[in-house]
């Protein structure tokens, strides 16, 4: 059924065309969230203001058009999907206001949870909810699902830490609980609604049996159904309303902003892993730990431990545990180290009375802490990584009363075994009796759907009826558990929920069939296919964790969406369906605008690099092998040609001026469809001189081999840049200042790491150039005796990835400065603020924190723009697809407006960064060279002596 013409016409007048999507590629891309459902929206609308939401809801209400709100789409129960109109948050929902030295924070719904905590970190505070998806999930979804997490429990979730809310109701009315004028107006315009809410509260509290049931249910972690505890916890109707919105999953209204009472983020922590011989002793220990000063207690059954025992870095003893073993990962946090030690002793005493099979005692060592938490965090992706292609990963979360946890665990394990979910694992937040069980499921055949239906029916009966627990502890009801709400809550509470729904959404337009549904089979409909697409991406679980770091997110597609589309294309091809139109759209949205830098792999629970798929597809389409071969064999000539083109651009700029050249270049770039790059004032001048210094016959200084990247040999500073020396000259000067004898490899003008070829889909030529360079470096370094310095991090990364020759020590600027130059240089920090861009390659090399630490030595004021993870220049994408670079850096100028200079470690990235920021970005070596002077060995000896005395 199509959307009403009057509705569509009004939407066209309200929302610009570039924020409305109804094409088959976009609607399919947004038809997926992290759940195992798929609904294809008829229209996707990206909203940028509350006014747009208000008008949209008024139109939807007038035309009876169902709408669904979507923040990050990391929800696991199908609550961020629609087959009607999907309303997606745009860029302009990122506001935050810190109050009372961090005791409160007001957040718009588009703020990523981890970014809220980063803003609060200087105050040693954080928001209460801590879902595993906090690095991707947005506040709108965190509140709407009442998400919790490992340390949050029931005391620090959104419901319990809510201080205020601004919301839009189904009829388009806005009310802000913290604004007296807004409240007064709402009380006048919606007096009847408030009276009815107050009456519902009085009736509920007067029904002692129902009130007692509600209080009992929320003693547990519980997100099944609407938040009925609002009716017994509060008597003021506006308080009832704001707390009903928490956990409502967009089915009662839209949350425009929320104010949290924050919680302490204690800096001191200790962690232990205790393995018990069986589930019974493990769960008895949980009951004891409930009374102890612990911040997290995570349970891992033997299956979950087995799923990670072969992972790199896992302790060998994990493989040797008994078949019945069950573990607790315990963490304690405190404001001081003394208090932490007291708490740890109390916890040790509490668990000391139980038999233990293996103990990793409490440690404050960050490395040990990280290793132990990896055991817990790797369990879910471990199942996803080994599942059969075509199956989906399902993660359910239930709550048992903690006093019956052992019985609940064993009964749940029995059910999984009875239904032959042999790969399933079980873990959870034990203090709350909250268990996650993960299993894989195929929905390709009716027999498999019937198996899932039977299993979930028995789970519902076991948890909700027999144990009086919760079928959804923290993942939200969604459409997955909507048919079981009445079973869990009973008739009275269920009818009360429907009263609330019809009171706040009388036309039923808000997220229908989510939380409540009259269709008892809704959880078995619109099941998401997971067809084989390519071995590179088949393990993708479509969680969306990758999306925040993708530069094309919001421009075209995200890594998750690229995989969704490619899966669909392959399935259609196998079915004999024509894919011409969607492949045409995918070429630009999926392939051309992918930076392919691989940051998505760092966020992916199963380590998928969607860029690898894109490079493979580019390779399949690459049809200029002869040209690639010529370039590889005549690389020095190609670079000379590039320098010549920069000379032409420089001369043209002299004649036409900045504005004239920009206008002319823009016309030519559009006409050439990106083959001729757009000129900007940040465009580099050609490197003027490539004559390298001759080495003296005798030199006692230590040697370093300097590999100048091809971009460093071609691209000098921009004409208006205050730095006019080339990167090659500055790097050389810095190395000599630090006391090094600088050696250049033979035939350096022919050398290339291969990255330009790899990114264009020519892997053979790329590897040939890489090996040629590695051989030259081996010779220049005297068989690996001398360290090798490469002046850009992308080239370094390309050379060291899968490097088989252990003799070669290849350093990017950050690592070389960190390991070789800090002791040789004296830093005098400058006062002017410096912006830092951490390139994708720096992140892959593991040098991000080191870069920050080095810049802190150079300046008293450092700025790292939030939300910019990849600049989108991606080698030459900034030239050929400049809209990707522009989109990725759309917020940069505002973030660095107080800075005088920016720092990076990639010459091409610096072009785009300079252009879009309004300040000059340079390599790190310029800054280090400017603020340092050589240290004498005498000074170094004195400093070492002082360190030893201290």
């Amino acid at each position: 059924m199509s959307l009403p013409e009057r509705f569509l016409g009004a939407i066209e007048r309200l929302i610009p065309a570039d924020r409305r999507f109804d094409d088959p590629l976009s609607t399919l891309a947004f038809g997926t969230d992290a759940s195992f459902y798929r609904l294809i929206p008829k229209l996707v609308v990206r909203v940028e203001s509350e006014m747009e939401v208000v008008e949209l809801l008024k139109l939807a209400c007038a035309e009876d058009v169902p709408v669904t709100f979507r923040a990050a789409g990391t929800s696991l129960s199908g609550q961020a999907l629609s087959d009607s109109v999907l309303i997606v948050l745009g860029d302009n929902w990122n506001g935050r206001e810190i109050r009372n030295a961090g005791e409160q924070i007001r957040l718009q719904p588009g703020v990523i949870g981890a970014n809220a905590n980063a803003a609060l970190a200087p105050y040693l505070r954080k928001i209460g909810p801590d879902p595993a998806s906090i690095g991707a999930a947005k506040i709108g979804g965190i509140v709407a699902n009442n998400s919790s997490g490992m340390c949050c429990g029931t005391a620090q979730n959104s419901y319990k830490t809510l201080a205020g809310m601004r919301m839009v109701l189904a009829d388009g009315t806005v009310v802000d609980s913290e604004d007296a004028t807004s409240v007064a107006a709402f009380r006048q315009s919606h007096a009847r609604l408030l009276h009815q809410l107050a009456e519902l509260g009085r009736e509920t509290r007067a029904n002692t049996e129902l009130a007692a049931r509600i209080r009992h249910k929320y003693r547990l972690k519980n997100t099944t159904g609407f938040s009925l505890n609002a009716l017994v916890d509060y008597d003021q109707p506006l308080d009832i309303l704001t707390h009903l919105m928490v956990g409502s999953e967009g089915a009662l209204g839209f949350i425009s902003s929320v104010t949290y009472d924050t919680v302490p983020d204690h800096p001191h922590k200790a962690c232990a892993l205790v393995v018990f011989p069986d589930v019974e002793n493990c769960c008895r220990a949980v009951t004891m730990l409930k009374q102890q000063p612990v911040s997290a207690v995570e349970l891992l059954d033997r299956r979950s431990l087995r799923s990670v025992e072969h992972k790199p870095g896992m302790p060998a003893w994990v493989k040797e545990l008994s078949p019945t073993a069950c573990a607790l990962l315990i963490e304690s946090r405190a404001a001081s180290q003394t208090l932490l030690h007291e708490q740890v002793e109390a916890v040790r005493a509490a668990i000391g009375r139980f038999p233990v099979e293996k103990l990793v005692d409490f440690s404050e060592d960050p490395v040990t802490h990280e290793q132990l938490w990896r055991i817990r965090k790797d369990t879910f992706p471990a199942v996803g990584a080994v599942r059969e292609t075509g199956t989906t990963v399902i993660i359910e979360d239930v709550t048992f009363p903690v006093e019956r946890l052992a019985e609940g665990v064993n009964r749940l394990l029995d059910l999984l075994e009875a239904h032959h979910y042999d790969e399933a694992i079980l873990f959870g937040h034990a203090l709350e009796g909250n268990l996650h069980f993960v299993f894989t499921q195929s929905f390709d055949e009716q027999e498999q759907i019937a198996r899932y239906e039977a299993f979930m029916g028995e789970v519902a009966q076991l948890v909700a009826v027999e144990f009086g627990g919760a079928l959804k502890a923290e993942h939200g009801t969604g459409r997955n558990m909507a048919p079981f709400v009445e079973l869990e809550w009973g008739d009275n509470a269920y009818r009360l929920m429907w009263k609330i729904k019809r009171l706040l959404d009388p036309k039923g337009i808000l997220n229908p069939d989510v939380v409540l549904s009259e269709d008892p089979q809704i959880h078995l409909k619109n099941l998401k296919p997971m067809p084989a697409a390519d071995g590179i991406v088949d393990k993708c679980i479509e969680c969306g964790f990758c999306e925040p770091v993708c530069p094309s997110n919001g421009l075209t597609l995200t890594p998750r969406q690229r995989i969704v589309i490619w899966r669909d294309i392959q399935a259609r091809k196998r079915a004999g369906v024509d894919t011409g139109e969607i492949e045409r759209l995918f070429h630009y949205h999926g392939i051309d605008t992918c930076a392919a830098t691989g940051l998505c792999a760092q966020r992916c629970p199963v380590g998928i690099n969607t860029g690898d798929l894109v490079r493979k597809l580019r390779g399949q389409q690459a049809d200029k092998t002869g040209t690639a071969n010529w370039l590889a064999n005549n690389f020095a000539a190609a670079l000379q040609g590039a320098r010549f083109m920069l000379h032409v651009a420089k001369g043209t700029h002299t004649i036409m001026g900045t504005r004239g050249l920009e206008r002319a270049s823009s016309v030519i770039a559009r006409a050439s469809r990106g083959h001729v790059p757009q000129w900007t004032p940040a465009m580099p001048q050609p490197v003027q001189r490539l004559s390298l210094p001759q080495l003296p016959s005798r030199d006692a200084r230590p040697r370093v081999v300097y590999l100048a990247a091809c971009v460093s040999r071609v691209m000098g500073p921009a004409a208006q840049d205050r730095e006019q020396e080339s990167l090659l000259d500055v790097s050389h000067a810095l190395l000599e200042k630090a006391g090094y004898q600088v050696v250049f490899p033979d035939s350096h003008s022919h050398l290339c790491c291969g990255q330009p070829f790899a990114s264009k889909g020519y892997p053979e030529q790329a590897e040939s150039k890489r090996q040629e360079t590695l051989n030259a470096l081996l010779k220049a370094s005297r068989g690996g005796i001398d360290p090798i310095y490469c002046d850009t991090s992308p080239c370094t990364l390309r050379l060291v990835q899968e490097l088989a020759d252990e003799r070669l020590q290849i350093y990017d600027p950050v690592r070389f400065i960190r390991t070789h130059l800090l002791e040789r240089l004296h830093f005098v920090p400058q006062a002017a603020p410096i912006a830092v861009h951490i390139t994708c390659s720096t992140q892959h090399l593991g040098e991000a924190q080191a870069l920050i630490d080095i810049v802190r030595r150079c300046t008293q004021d450092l700025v790292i723009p939030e939300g910019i993870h990849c600049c989108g220049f991606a080698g030459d994408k900034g030239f050929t697809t400049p809209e990707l670079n522009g989109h990725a850096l759309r917020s940069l100028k505002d973030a660095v407006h107080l800075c005088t200079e920016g720092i990076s470690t990639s010459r091409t990235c610096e072009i785009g960064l300079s252009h879009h920021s309004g300040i000059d970005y340079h390599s790190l070596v310029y800054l280090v060279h400017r603020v340092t002077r050589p240290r004498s060995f005498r000074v170094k000896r004195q400093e070492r002596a002082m360190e030893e005395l201290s």
Side-chain angles (χ1 to χ4, degrees):
M1 187 174 174
S2 59
L3 298 173
E5 288 297 326
R6 282 198 304 180
F7 177 82
L8 291 173
I11 294 293
E12 289 176 10
R13 292 188 292 274
L14 176 66
I15 306 293
D18 63 350
R19 292 195 276 116
R20 303 190 314 267
F21 311 95
D22 59 3
D23 61 277
L25 183 139
S26 298
T27 52
L28 175 60
F30 280 106
T32 292
D33 64 3
S35 73
F36 50 95
Y37 296 100
R38 170 169 294 161
L39 277 81
I40 308 299
K42 295 180 178 66
L43 177 66
V44 179
V45 178
R46 183 174 286 127
V47 292
E48 295 290 2
S49 70
E50 184 182 77
M51 180 276 292
E52 290 179 349
V53 175
V54 168
E55 295 302 317
L56 271 168
L57 287 179
K58 287 179 179 178
L59 290 170
C61 195
E63 300 295 336
D64 292 335
V65 174
V67 298
T68 295
F69 307 113
R70 180 182 176 120
T74 56
S75 47
L76 291 161
S77 301
Q79 52 268 65
L81 302 171
S82 174
D83 57 5
S84 179
V85 176
L86 188 66
I87 300 175
V88 180
L89 294 179
D91 287 340
N92 295 334
W93 297 93
N94 204 33
R96 79 282 312 265
E97 176 194 352
I98 296 175
R99 302 173 178 172
N100 304 329
E103 291 186 2
Q104 283 191 340
I105 187 168
R106 185 170 172 97
L107 299 162
Q108 286 188 303
V111 177
I112 292 174
N115 292 344
N117 283 341
L120 289 165
Y123 305 95
L124 296 179
R125 310 286 294 182
K126 63 180 180 177
I127 62 171
D130 62 336
S133 59
I134 198 166
K138 296 179 178 179
I139 291 299
I142 289 172
V143 178
N145 289 289
N146 198 19
S147 306
S148 44
M150 297 179 188
C151 301
C152 172
T154 56
Q156 295 182 350
N157 59 23
S158 293
Y159 181 93
K160 289 292 180 67
T161 57
L162 181 70
M165 182 183 290
R166 184 177 176 93
M167 69 200 98
V168 185
L169 300 185
D171 62 1
T173 300
V174 178
V175 59
D176 187 337
S177 70
E178 295 184 296
D179 183 333
T181 303
S182 173
V183 171
F186 186 69
R187 283 175 175 157
Q188 187 169 6
S189 64
H190 285 67
R192 184 169 178 273
L193 171 64
L194 292 171
H195 172 76
Q196 289 172 306
L197 284 172
E199 186 61 29
L200 279 180
R202 283 191 291 272
E203 290 175 359
T204 304
R205 292 189 296 275
N207 185 335
T208 54
E209 183 180 345
L210 177 59
R213 179 163 180 73
I214 291 170
R215 291 189 180 98
H216 165 76
K217 293 289 288 183
Y218 287 103
R219 176 177 66 91
L220 311 172
K221 255 191 182 183
N222 185 1
T223 59
T224 308
F226 292 128
S227 300
L228 293 184
N229 44 343
L231 297 169
V232 297
D233 292 343
Y234 299 95
D235 57 7
Q236 293 301 310
L238 191 56
D239 289 334
I240 293 173
L241 177 59
T242 57
H243 287 82
L244 281 172
M245 292 291 287
V246 177
S248 64
E249 302 175 32
L252 299 180
F254 175 83
I255 299 169
S256 291
S257 68
V258 63
T259 301
Y260 278 115
D261 288 323
T262 62
V263 301
D265 187 14
H266 294 310
H268 299 279
K269 57 188 176 183
C271 197
L273 184 72
V274 187
V275 184
F276 300 88
D278 50 48
V279 168
E280 287 74 15
N281 278 292
C282 185
C283 293
R284 282 174 49 226
V286 171
T287 307
M288 187 69 66
L289 288 169
K290 187 84 172 168
Q291 315 303 320
Q292 300 302 319
V294 290
S295 58
V297 177
E298 294 290 299
L299 181 147
L300 300 101
D301 78 331
R302 184 64 183 97
R303 291 181 178 197
S304 60
L305 292 168
R306 194 175 291 120
S307 73
V308 297
E309 63 186 19
H310 296 289
K311 281 186 168 286
M314 287 296 160
W317 56 259
V318 177
K319 300 176 186 177
E320 300 164 3
L321 295 174
S322 65
T324 59
C326 192
L328 294 179
L329 176 61
I330 305 169
E331 182 176 282
S332 185
R333 294 190 175 197
S336 69
Q337 195 171 49
T338 302
L339 180 57
L340 177 65
H341 292 168
E342 291 176 5
Q343 292 178 180
V344 165
E345 286 307 313
V347 176
R348 281 195 185 114
I351 60 176
R353 64 195 71 182
F354 297 98
V356 170
E357 182 173 322
K358 179 70 181 181
L359 171 66
V360 179
D361 202 4
F362 279 99
S363 172
E364 298 170 57
D365 175 40
V367 175
T368 304
H369 185 272
E370 176 65 22
Q371 186 183 46
L372 293 180
W373 274 104
R374 268 194 61 205
I375 295 175
R376 160 64 179 85
K377 291 177 180 178
D378 282 353
T379 50
F380 174 40
V383 175
V386 300
R387 77 184 195 279
E388 288 185 28
T389 299
T391 63
T392 190
V393 178
I394 298 176
I395 177 168
E396 288 294 356
D397 75 310
V398 300
T399 306
F400 290 106
V402 71
E403 61 272 13
R404 300 185 66 188
L405 184 59
E407 186 184 358
V409 169
N410 284 324
R411 293 285 300 281
L412 204 47
L413 290 172
D414 289 343
L415 272 184
L416 289 164
E417 189 173 333
H419 289 273
H420 306 292
Y421 290 109
D422 301 323
E423 77 295 341
I425 64 171
L426 190 148
F427 55 88
H429 317 314
L431 285 179
E432 309 301 331
N434 175 198
L435 299 177
H436 299 311
F437 53 100
V438 183
F439 58 101
T440 63
Q441 175 72 54
S442 168
F443 292 119
D444 292 342
E445 300 173 0
Q446 191 56 45
E447 179 183 356
Q448 288 297 323
I449 297 174
R451 176 172 76 133
Y452 173 74
E453 180 183 15
F455 173 65
M456 289 309 298
E458 290 187 43
V459 167
Q461 192 68 31
L462 173 73
V463 175
V465 179
E466 194 172 335
F467 279 78
L471 290 169
K472 282 294 182 182
E474 55 184 9
H475 294 169
T477 311
R479 54 199 346 103
N480 185 21
M481 283 299 173
F484 301 101
V485 174
E486 184 175 12
L487 176 72
E488 176 174 330
W489 275 98
D491 182 60
N492 285 344
Y494 186 63
R495 282 191 285 111
L496 180 57
M497 289 183 192
W498 272 112
K499 282 183 183 178
I500 292 167
K501 171 68 172 173
R502 288 166 182 147
L503 182 61
L504 292 169
D505 180 21
K507 291 197 170 185
I509 62 167
L510 299 181
N511 218 355
D513 286 323
V514 167
V515 183
L516 301 179
S517 177
E518 293 174 332
D519 183 350
Q521 299 291 301
I522 195 67
H523 64 306
L524 303 174
K525 296 178 179 178
N526 302 300
L527 299 169
K528 180 167 64 180
M530 297 287 274
D534 189 288
I536 296 172
V537 297
D538 281 341
K539 298 305 181 186
C540 174
I541 55 180
E542 300 184 5
C543 63
F545 286 13
C546 57
E547 294 186 336
V549 297
C550 178
S552 61
N553 182 9
L555 174 69
T556 51
L557 298 175
T558 67
R560 167 168 63 173
Q561 292 172 332
R562 285 182 171 90
I563 294 170
V564 167
I565 300 298
W566 193 244
R567 280 174 165 165
D568 188 71
I569 288 171
Q570 299 311 302
R572 292 189 193 196
K573 283 183 173 179
R574 285 192 291 270
V577 177
D578 179 43
T579 60
E581 175 63 11
I582 197 165
E583 285 199 75
R584 183 188 67 78
L585 292 169
F586 186 72
H587 192 276
Y588 174 75
H589 289 78
I591 299 175
D592 287 353
T593 54
C594 177
T597 55
L599 283 191
C600 47
Q602 293 191 351
R603 295 292 186 96
C604 176
V606 291
I608 292 170
N609 183 343
T610 312
D612 289 342
L613 172 66
V614 169
R615 278 189 291 271
K616 179 178 178 179
L617 298 179
R618 287 174 183 165
Q620 292 171 359
Q621 298 168 4
D623 56 1
K624 295 181 175 59
T625 303
T627 303
N629 287 333
W630 186 90
L631 289 170
N633 295 327
N634 300 274
F635 200 69
L639 294 189
Q640 195 169 353
R643 277 192 294 273
F644 173 76
M645 294 305 296
L646 289 177
H647 275 293
V648 171
K650 180 182 178 182
T652 307
H653 179 225
T654 302
I655 297 169
M656 298 182 66
T658 298
R659 290 187 179 179
L661 182 53
E662 275 192 295
R663 284 196 294 266
S665 172
S666 177
V667 172
I668 295 170
R670 284 197 300 270
S672 70
R673 296 184 179 180
H675 292 295
V676 177
Q678 165 80 52
W679 185 92
T680 73
M683 189 69 77
Q685 299 177 100
V687 169
Q688 299 296 325
R689 152 179 88 80
L690 275 176
S691 58
L692 303 179
Q694 297 296 315
L695 291 177
S697 56
R698 293 183 179 180
D699 196 328
R701 295 175 298 170
R703 288 168 42 118
V704 59
V705 176
Y706 180 6
L707 174 66
C710 57
V711 289
S712 309
R713 306 196 301 265
V714 173
M715 298 178 180
Q720 298 173 357
D721 196 322
R722 70 176 184 179
E723 297 280 5
Q724 284 299 303
E725 283 192 276
S726 71
L727 174 59
L728 195 154
D729 288 338
V730 175
S731 298
H732 184 266
L734 177 64
L735 293 170
E736 289 211 319
K737 180 199 292 187
Y740 278 95
Q741 175 189 180
V742 181
V743 180
F744 291 88
D746 294 339
S747 304
H748 73 275
S749 60
H750 298 275
L751 300 181
C752 172
C753 69
Q755 184 62 35
F757 299 93
S759 64
K760 295 296 183 185
Y762 296 97
E764 291 181 11
Q765 293 82 353
E767 187 56 25
S768 172
K769 294 303 292 182
R770 178 174 178 265
Q771 286 302 324
E772 178 187 6
T773 300
L774 290 173
N775 292 337
L777 293 175
L778 187 63
K779 179 182 177 183
S781 65
R782 300 181 294 177
I785 294 173
D786 305 316
I788 298 159
Y789 170 82
C790 180
D791 59 16
T792 61
S793 55
C795 298
T796 311
L797 177 65
R798 169 76 187 164
L799 291 169
V800 301
Q801 280 180 323
E802 301 178 9
L803 181 61
D805 195 331
E806 296 180 358
R807 293 174 294 174
L808 290 171
Q809 310 166 61
I810 305 175
Y811 298 82
D812 79 319
V814 180
R815 187 175 173 222
F816 193 84
I817 293 169
R818 171 173 66 83
T819 57
H820 289 81
L821 300 191
L822 292 183
E823 287 191 353
R824 294 172 170 266
L825 298 171
H826 177 70
F827 286 74
V828 181
Q830 65 180 47
I834 296 289
V836 177
H837 176 72
I838 305 169
T839 66
C840 305
S841 47
T842 304
Q843 295 177 60
H844 284 304
L845 289 166
E847 298 293 337
Q849 188 58 49
L851 172 60
I852 294 168
D853 293 342
I854 291 169
V855 176
R856 283 206 174 108
R857 287 175 175 254
C858 302
T859 179
Q860 299 168 13
D861 193 358
L862 175 150
V863 175
I864 304 174
E866 181 185 299
I868 298 176
H869 304 275
C870 170
C871 72
F873 208 95
D876 67 348
K877 283 291 178 190
F879 297 135
T880 63
T881 318
E883 63 272 28
L884 177 63
N885 182 228
H887 179 78
L889 299 181
R890 61 196 182 279
S891 63
L892 179 62
K893 193 166 189 174
D894 289 341
V896 301
H897 70 282
L898 296 177
C899 299
T900 57
E901 179 184 17
I903 291 301
S904 177
T905 54
S906 166
R907 182 65 190 95
T908 52
C909 293
E910 288 149 21
I911 298 170
L913 290 162
S914 299
H915 175 53
H916 291 288
S917 67
I919 62 174
D920 295 326
Y921 271 77
H922 308 112
S923 171
L924 171 67
V925 298
Y926 284 87
L927 178 64
V928 172
H929 185 43
R930 189 189 316 132
V931 304
T932 59
R933 62 175 185 263
R935 281 189 182 184
S936 69
F937 288 103
R938 183 178 176 185
V939 169
K940 282 188 279 187
R941 282 197 300 268
Q942 288 174 344
E943 288 185 354
R944 283 199 196 99
M946 291 297 292
E947 287 175 4
E948 288 172 5
L949 287 172
S950 62

